[in-house]
C-alpha cells in the first residue's frame, strides 16, 4: 500500500454546530475508530486531496497532536451540491486484526476477442477483500488474454493469496461484447 501522512488536531467539542464551523474554516471533521477508543479530530481539507482522487489504497499515518496512528480511509462523505469533503472515517490498523477494503482491478494482456473486433467492457473497477493489512495487494491483476468474443471473466476465476475476496463469485469483472457488425458473420 502507498503511504500518506495527515496532521490533525483533536476536537474538543462534538456536534453539528462545531462541525459546520470547522468546515467553514477549511477543515474536515474526522473520526478514527477500530482501536482502543475512538478519536475525534479535524484536519485541513487540502491534505485529503491525494487520498481521495485516486483508486489506490493508502496506508494513512495520522499525526494527531503528536500521537501517531496507522489507518486506512474507510468512509468519506461529500457535500451534495459542491462535492466538498465534509466528513472522513478512518479504520485503525491493529496488528493481527483483519480489515475489509476495496482493491482496484487491473486488466492485463490483450484479449483475443478485442483483436477480432470486439469491445472490452470492464464491469467491476474494485473488489471487496478481507485480510491482514500487510497481505492486502495494491491491486488485483486479471489476465484477459484468453477472453474471446461474448465471453467474460468472473470473480470466482481469481486466485487469492493470503486474503479473501468478499465480492460475489458470480459477478463478471470484464467481458468482450460482440459488435453489431460482427453478429451476423460469426455463425458463418
Amino acid at each position: 500500500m502507498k503511504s500518506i501522512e495527515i496532521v490533525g488536531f483533536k476536537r474538543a467539542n462534538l456536534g453539528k454546530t462545531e462541525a459546520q464551523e470547522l468546515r467553514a474554516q477549511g477543515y474536515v471533521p474526522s473520526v478514527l475508530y477500530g482501536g482502543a477508543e475512538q478519536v475525534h479530530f479535524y484536519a485541513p481539507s487540502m491534505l485529503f486531496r491525494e487520498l481521495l482522487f485516486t483508486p489506490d489504497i493508502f496506508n494513512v499515518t495520522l499525526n494527531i497532536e503528536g500521537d501517531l496512528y496507522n489507518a486506512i480511509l474507510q468512509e468519506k462523505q461529500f457535500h451534495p451540491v459542491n462535492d466538498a469533503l465534509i466528513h472522513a472515517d478512518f479504520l485503525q490498523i491493529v496488528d493481527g486484526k483483519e480489515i475489509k477494503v476495496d482493491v482496484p482491478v487491473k486488466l492485463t494482456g490483450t484479449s483475443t476477442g478485442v483483436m477480432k473486433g470486439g469491445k472490452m467492457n470492464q464491469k467491476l473497477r474494485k473488489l471487496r477483500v478481507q485480510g491482514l493489512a500487510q497481505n492486502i495487494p495494491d491491486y488485483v491483476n486479471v489476465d484477459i488474454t484468453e477472453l474471446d468474443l461474448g465471453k467474460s471473466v468472473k470473480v470466482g476465476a481469481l486466485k487469492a493469496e493470503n486474503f479473501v475476496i468478499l465480492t460475489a463469485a458470480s459477478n463478471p469483472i470484464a467481458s468482450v461484447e460482440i459488435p453489431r457488425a460482427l453478429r451476423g458473420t460469426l455463425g458463418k
Side-chain angles (χ1 to χ4, degrees), residues 1 17 19-20 37 40 44 55 60 62 68-69 72 96 99 102-103 105-106 117-118 127 131 136 151 153 177 179:
M1 284 192 268
T17 308
Q20 288 173 343
E37 77 279 343
H40 297 272
V60 182
L62 294 172
L68 296 177
Y69 302 96
I72 58 166
I99 58 172
D102 292 328
V103 176
V105 173
K106 183 177 180 184
L127 293 175
I136 301 289
K151 302 295 181 190
V153 175
E177 293 180 358

Side-chain angles (χ1 to χ4, degrees), residues 107 111-123 125 144 147-152 174-183:
L107 302 179
S111 169
T112 57
V114 172
M115 290 178 161
K116 293 178 184 176
K119 182 178 181 242
M120 177 60 66
N121 187 5
Q122 186 174 356
K123 299 185 187 280
R125 304 264 178 213
I144 57 168
L147 207 56
D148 206 356
L149 289 170
K151 302 295 181 190
S152 64
S175 63
V176 177
E177 293 180 358
I178 304 171
R180 196 178 319 168
L182 289 177
R183 284 188 188 142

